[in-house]
Amino acid sequence: MREPLVVGNWKLQGSLVSVEALLGDLLSATPVVGVEIAVCPTYVHLGRAITMCGRSLLAVGAQDCSYVQSGAYTGEVSPAMLAEIGCHWVILGHSERRQYQGESDALIAAKLAAAVEADLSPIVCVGETREQREAGSAQAIVSAQLEGALKGQANLDRVVIAYEPVWAIGTGLTATPEQAQQMQAFIRGCLMDISGVDATATRILYGGSVKAGNAASLFVQPDIDGALVGGAALIAADFLAIINAAAA
Ligand code: 13P
């Protein structure tokens, strides 16, 4: 049985004041049982978020990390540093980093290894562009991304996969529950092929315009184990509604 996981990716949004207000609203809501919850603010807001979340059910994650633990790497933040301050999760290979920072599958694999070494739990993002879907190559793209990122990773225990079709991110164009289910079942098969381990316990999230109004129809699908939420995670009532949909 896979416990649902709902993660808010706050991206490059907010100020210390708005982050404190949003966390205050989330922490004052009635705790929802049976769903794991996390929020991922920017690096500079992590410390405050971790202090505020304390021993609550709200875990905190980073949106990225370095592929090395220390050294002369100006501007980098290591997985060990994130773990030390109380981060539990780290998002890796988000399509925005692949697009704007040119992150390759090899770099994502190195970050994944470093994150696992530091005892962080990585959320590895994969997903095709609209052109790739229209060309009929969505599955080939996703399986290549999985293979590239997970190469050499024999232990998937801590790893979560997020299927985020690029054409659905921030566009309001959600994948239909059937489209998402079909890809996520395919991903589960790929995980078994790549790692050689049983991936029935591995959680696979969907991300891309998840809203309060469409979350329930996604979560009833057998291979959708939760969501990685962007825009709707910045509004406490909407994020809480998505969490409640996952618990239902
Ligand atoms: P939106 O929910 O805003 O489409 O963003 C999804 C996403 O990129 C989460 O990582």
Side-chain angles (χ1 to χ4, degrees), residues 130-141:
R130 186 167 56 86
E131 293 74 22
Q132 289 163 339
R133 176 160 282 263
E134 284 171 1
S137 54
Q139 288 194 344
I141 293 293

Side-chain angles (χ1 to χ4, degrees), residues 9 11 94 96 164 168-171 207-211 228-232:
N9 174 9
K11 306 193 180 183
H94 192 282
E96 287 150 12
E164 296 207 313
I169 295 175
T171 59
S209 297
V210 176
K211 308 285 176 208
L228 185 54
V229 186

Side-chain angles (χ1 to χ4, degrees), residues 85-129:
I85 64 163
C87 260
H88 182 80
W89 298 98
V90 62
I91 298 170
L92 296 176
H94 192 282
S95 61
E96 287 150 12
R97 296 203 62 81
R98 292 177 191 262
Q99 184 180 351
Y100 303 127
Q101 270 73 35
E103 289 201 1
S104 65
D105 289 328
L107 178 61
I108 295 160
K111 290 183 175 194
L112 177 65
V116 169
E117 182 187 52
D119 279 342
L120 291 177
S121 294
I123 301 169
V124 178
C125 302
V126 295
E128 81 286 358
T129 63

Side-chain angles (χ1 to χ4, degrees), residues 23 45-55 60 82 85-87:
L23 282 171
H45 296 143
L46 279 174
R48 185 72 189 114
I50 289 164
T51 303
M52 283 185 76
C53 290
R55 293 177 183 277
V60 178
L82 294 171
I85 64 163
C87 260

Side-chain angles (χ1 to χ4, degrees), residues 17 46 55 69 118 120 140 144 160 172 181 193-194 205 208 219 224-225 239 242:
V17 170
L46 279 174
R55 293 177 183 277
Q69 304 295 5
L120 291 177
V160 168
Q181 165 56 27
D193 292 345
I194 294 165
L205 313 182
F219 295 154
I224 300 182
D225 306 315
F239 192 54
I242 294 168

